[in-house]
Amino acid sequence: MERKINRREKEKEYEGKHNSLEDTDQGKNCKSTLMTLNVGGYLYITQKQTLTKYPDTFLEGIVNGKILCPFDADGHYFIDRDGLLFRHVLNFLRNGELLLPEGFRENQLLAQEAEFFQLKGLAEEVKSRWEKEQLAPRETTFLEITDNHDRSQGLRIFCNAPDFISKIKSRIVLVSKSRLDGFPEEFSISSNIIQFKYFIKSENGTRLVLKEDNTFVCTLETLKFEAIMMALKCGFRLLTSLDCSKGSIVHSDALHFIK
């Protein structure tokens, strides 16, 4: 009982201090310097001095009454722009420089936002960043799928990007488990290669991959098809296909992709 009373007394003491703060000029000034913006459905609370950091901009015009801006249902300024990208616009105003997360790929969209908000400095930094990315050398990624039609070699999937090999393996695991026995770990030769050496021909001519205990995994055509679809999905383009006499790249002896 004593503990509850003491807690309530502390709450009253806090409320009294809070109310007295609001009555002071300092509390009023604090409220008057804040603005809430609704940008495309995202709410941002910032100081007026942040929005007016650069003169003759869209945001500076809103704060100083030069530009009429509509309000949302809650009385916040509403700006019909990309709410997610606005965080980068606001951070530029706060920091005075463009700081973007690693892997950011929306330079063109951000350039449009900079143009709309009339931030020349931001527009110049986005342009400079985009130009540097275009000039930066990019490592070419190769993918090769070869079918040697003999039991000692079998089907071989090679790529110089280990992360892509992991994606193919994960996909084959999923397909194999849903149909037959799953992906045999012993066929994963290295981080760059997946190789299936053991297979037999069924009665209709379809070759089936075997585990060492002679249980079926799935057909080589299925494995090739999944690898091809994953390659196209990840942005690879087909360079060459050898011996595609049956009219389908799935039956080709060799496929070469590049990205």
Side-chain angles (χ1 to χ4, degrees):
M1 188 68 178
E2 182 181 355
R3 183 178 299 176
K4 291 182 179 180
I5 293 174
N6 290 338
R7 180 180 177 184
R8 182 56 187 164
E9 288 177 352
K10 289 183 179 179
E11 289 177 353
K12 288 183 178 180
E13 182 181 356
Y14 173 79
E15 290 173 359
K17 290 182 179 179
H18 182 70
N19 292 333
S20 63
L21 177 61
E22 290 184 347
D23 292 336
T24 63
D25 292 337
Q26 182 180 358
K28 291 179 181 179
N29 291 335
C30 181
K31 285 186 176 182
S32 63
T33 61
L34 296 180
M35 285 190 67
T36 301
L37 302 176
N38 180 345
V39 184
Y42 290 81
L43 293 181
Y44 291 89
I45 302 176
T46 186
Q47 293 183 333
K48 290 183 179 180
Q49 64 186 32
T50 301
L51 300 178
T52 58
K53 185 172 185 177
Y54 300 102
D56 301 323
T57 65
F58 182 84
L59 294 171
E60 185 269 338
I62 290 178
V63 174
N64 293 326
K66 302 175 186 177
I67 298 176
L68 295 178
C69 184
F71 297 92
D72 64 11
D74 295 320
H76 307 309
Y77 287 101
F78 177 76
I79 303 175
D80 191 14
R81 300 300 296 182
D82 192 318
L84 287 175
L85 283 179
F86 185 73
R87 65 183 280 245
H88 304 304
V89 175
L90 192 57
N91 282 332
F92 174 79
L93 294 174
R94 290 165 174 163
N95 303 316
E97 61 178 325
L98 179 62
L99 301 172
L100 296 173
E102 184 177 352
F104 183 80
R105 291 291 181 269
E106 296 184 309
N107 291 310
Q108 290 182 323
L109 290 175
L110 185 56
Q112 291 181 350
E113 298 305 299
E115 182 179 353
F116 174 83
F117 289 106
Q118 302 170 12
L119 290 165
K120 294 181 180 180
L122 176 58
E124 291 174 356
E125 290 205 33
V126 174
K127 181 181 178 181
S128 176
R129 183 179 188 275
W130 184 82
E131 290 176 347
K132 288 181 181 179
E133 287 184 354
Q134 295 301 308
L135 294 174
R138 295 183 180 181
E139 182 181 356
T140 302
T141 305
F142 299 96
L143 170 64
E144 181 183 58
I145 304 173
T146 54
D147 186 354
N148 292 290
H149 297 278
D150 65 82
R151 189 180 179 119
S152 62
Q153 298 297 322
L155 177 68
R156 181 176 181 270
I157 302 172
F158 167 82
C159 185
N160 61 337
D163 60 331
F164 180 73
I165 289 294
S166 298
K167 288 180 181 179
I168 291 182
K169 182 175 178 179
S170 298
R171 177 60 183 165
I172 292 175
V173 167
L174 181 63
V175 173
S176 301
K177 284 183 178 180
S178 65
R179 297 182 184 179
L180 296 166
D181 297 319
F183 187 89
E185 295 292 337
E186 63 270 19
F187 291 154
S188 180
I189 308 302
S190 72
S191 60
N192 295 104
I193 298 173
I194 295 179
Q195 191 162 5
F196 300 88
K197 291 185 178 181
Y198 306 101
F199 61 87
I200 62 172
K201 290 186 177 181
S202 62
E203 295 179 359
N204 60 3
T206 302
R207 288 172 298 140
L208 300 170
V209 178
L210 288 176
K211 286 186 178 181
E212 289 185 350
D213 59 359
N214 292 327
T215 55
F216 296 124
V217 179
C218 56
T219 66
L220 291 183
E221 283 73 16
T222 298
L223 298 176
K224 280 202 287 186
F225 176 78
E226 294 297 338
I228 292 169
M229 293 304 295
M230 182 63 70
L232 297 176
K233 183 178 179 181
C234 292
F236 283 89
R237 56 188 178 90
L238 179 64
L239 284 182
T240 59
S241 59
L242 303 179
D243 190 19
C244 188
S245 58
K246 295 184 180 180
S248 172
I249 61 174
V250 176
H251 297 97
S252 297
D253 292 343
L255 297 167
H256 300 96
F257 296 84
I258 193 172
K259 183 172 69 168

